[in-house]
């Protein structure tokens, strides 16, 4: 379905981003990976699906590096047709104890990076009259949890950016939508499970059960593979009039 198209997925060396990159690769897209940590493993996983794959290590908190990454992607494959703004970090603390540098980093990586990548991707998408921008927001783009001020502010902002981007391009072949997962068991969430286990003297299993029970009625994690299939749907022709939605896949979290 996506043969000949190029997808750039930020923060795709791990977790949800890698799951989405693999789902798009299965549809035939060329993939540009980004993110920190081991790169060879993720590259090999995507290449094994038959996709052409490139990697750029831009730090998504740095606009100049984002610009370099967008130029690199265009030089590798012609242009970016699908942009998945996925890179994200978390920090948990009450507002009065929240380190200002963590606030700045979360806003930069979870929100501003999507603005920068989108503004740089849009001209070529509009010229081709085809494009898909998919913003990895969160159920925290729709509702709040205590101790997550920067994350909730960034994700609500990302849902707002999604709507504006969708509206500005509504008469073109460029769509923009957000995906809002509940809990997904990635390194980002395992850290929160570990903190719960340490604070309460629980096993990993007890802490996981507690984490799900507090928020997610299905008591099940959403998987990167399921989120990948939603991203594939947003890229399909059938979704060409899906514009500006914030689509939760959250086990009923936001329905409460
Ligand atoms: P993860 O920690 O597994 O992956 C995060 C990715 O972002 C990694 O590839 C990491 O290297 C990259 N990254 C971090 N800082 C970066 C930076 N400055 N520059 C470039 N890359 C950077 O996390 P995940 O759970 O897969 O999260 C992916 C996205 O999904 C995030 O935006 C997160 O907020 C969102 N999300 C996650 C969950 C969940 O339960 N895991 C739920 C809702 C939304």
């Amino acid at each position: 379905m996506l043969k000949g198209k190029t997808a750039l997925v930020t923060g795709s060396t791990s977790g949800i981003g890698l799951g989405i990159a693999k789902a798009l690769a299965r549809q035939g897209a060329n993939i540009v990976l980004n993110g920190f940590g081991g790169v060879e493993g993720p590259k090999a996983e995507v290449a094994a699906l038959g996709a052409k794959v490139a990697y750029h290590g831009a730090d998504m908190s740095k606009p100049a590096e984002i610009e370099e990454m967008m130029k690199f992607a265009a030089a590798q494959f012609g242009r970016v047709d699908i942009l998945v703004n996925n890179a994200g970090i978390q920090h948990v603390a009450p507002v009065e104890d929240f380190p200002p540098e963590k606030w700045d980093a979360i806003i930069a990586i979870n929100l501003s990076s999507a603005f920068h990548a989108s503004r740089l991707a849009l001209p070529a998408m509009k010229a081709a009259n085809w494009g898909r921008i998919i913003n990895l927001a969160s159920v925290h783009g729709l509702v709040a949890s205590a101790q997550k001020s920067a994350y909730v502010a960034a994700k609500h902002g990302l849902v707002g950016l999604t709507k504006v981007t969708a509206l500005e391009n509504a008469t073109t072949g460029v769509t923009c939508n957000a995906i809002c997962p509940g809990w997904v068991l990635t390194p980002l969430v395992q850290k929160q499970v570990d903190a719960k286990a340490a604070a309460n003297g629980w096993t990993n299993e007890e802490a996981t059960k507690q984490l799900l029970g507090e928020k997610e009625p299905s008591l099940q994690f959403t998987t990167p593979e399921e989120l990948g299939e939603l991203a594939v749907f947003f890229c399909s022709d059938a979704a060409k009039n899906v514009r500006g939605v914030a689509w939760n896949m959250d086990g009923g979290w936001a329905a409460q």
Side-chain angles (χ1 to χ4, degrees), residues 11 13-14 16 36 58-60 86 109 137 151 155 181-182 184 186-187 189:
T13 48
S14 165
I16 295 169
F36 300 150
D59 178 338
M60 296 305 289
N86 167 80
I109 297 166
Y151 190 86
K155 296 299 188 182
V184 186
T186 65
V189 164

Side-chain angles (χ1 to χ4, degrees), residues 16 90 135-145 148 151-159 178-184 188-189 192 211-212 214-217 220 222 227 230 246-256:
I16 295 169
Q90 177 62 286
N135 292 326
L136 248 294
S138 165
V139 68
H140 283 119
L142 306 170
V143 296
S145 294
K148 296 186 174 175
Y151 190 86
V152 169
K155 296 299 188 182
H156 275 67
L158 192 53
V159 169
I179 295 180
C180 298
W183 291 125
V184 186
L188 182 140
V189 164
Q192 295 173 62
L211 180 107
L212 284 170
E214 279 167 12
K215 299 279 184 182
E216 190 139 337
Q220 279 176 36
T222 299
L227 294 163
L230 181 54
W247 191 312
N248 32 332
M249 211 186 235
D250 64 356
W253 182 326
Q256 297 169 97

Side-chain angles (χ1 to χ4, degrees), residues 3 10 76 83 91 98 106 137 234 239 251:
K3 223 166 179 49
T10 70
Q76 288 285 310
L83 170 66
H91 185 79
F98 212 91
I106 289 176
F234 282 147

Side-chain angles (χ1 to χ4, degrees), residues 108-132:
I109 297 166
N110 296 21
L111 175 59
S112 302
S113 75
F115 160 69
H116 291 297
S118 298
R119 74 181 170 79
L120 295 164
L122 276 165
M125 289 181 178
K126 286 167 96 159
N129 200 33
W130 198 93
R132 296 287 188 265

Side-chain angles (χ1 to χ4, degrees), residues 21 82 95 134 139 194 197 222:
I82 300 162
V95 171
I134 300 172
V139 68
D194 293 346
T222 299

